[in-house]
Amino acid sequence: EMVEGRTQRRLVDEGSLRYLLNLASSEDPEVRREVARAMALFAAKRDSHAALQRAGSVPCLVQFARGEDTVSRRFGCLGIGNLAIVTANHQELFDSGAIASLLPLAVCDDLE
């Protein structure tokens, strides 16, 4: 699994996040789902938070969280939640609209 430390560290060190973020604008919804999934998995490891923020992933996670695709939306929310675990990330999450993007989900009829 990608969240294993060595594999994830190597992907960050090799600059893979930049390519991953480029794929986030793909026309293919399945590609976008996998990008959202990968970003949520990266965000699950605190060691990757700084690299994710440097790469500009927070606006991308916000885009996923606000999107129409249910799977991408779930992973976008999961990624935001994973980043929110660390207090130092809170300001960027507020400033980027990440927290505001979660508010409509509080009244969503779809419990999934």
Side-chain angles (χ1 to χ4, degrees):
E1 187 63 40
M2 187 178 75
V3 290
E4 292 302 320
R6 287 189 305 257
T7 302
Q8 193 166 0
R9 173 59 35 212
R10 184 173 174 198
L11 288 169
V12 168
D13 291 346
E14 292 177 357
S16 299
L17 289 176
R18 177 183 55 197
Y19 300 109
L20 187 64
L21 289 173
N22 287 339
L23 290 172
S25 59
S26 171
E27 295 291 323
D28 185 340
E30 192 59 39
V31 170
R32 290 192 307 273
R33 287 180 193 124
E34 290 303 318
V35 170
R37 177 181 174 275
M39 290 175 60
L41 287 172
F42 268 108
K45 299 284 283 182
R46 291 180 186 201
D47 293 347
S48 298
H49 287 191
L52 281 168
Q53 290 174 310
R54 279 192 309 272
S57 69
V58 173
C60 190
L61 287 168
V62 170
Q63 178 184 349
F64 285 131
R66 291 181 176 164
E68 296 295 319
D69 182 71
T70 304
V71 174
S72 295
R73 189 168 53 236
R74 284 183 191 152
F75 284 126
C77 292
L78 179 61
I80 291 167
N82 287 340
L83 289 174
I85 290 171
V86 176
T87 306
N89 297 335
H90 289 182
Q91 190 63 52
E92 181 178 2
L93 293 172
F94 279 107
D95 292 347
S96 68
I99 303 306
S101 72
L102 301 177
L103 295 178
L105 301 175
V107 294
C108 181
D109 291 335
D110 181 5
L111 296 178
E112 289 187 46

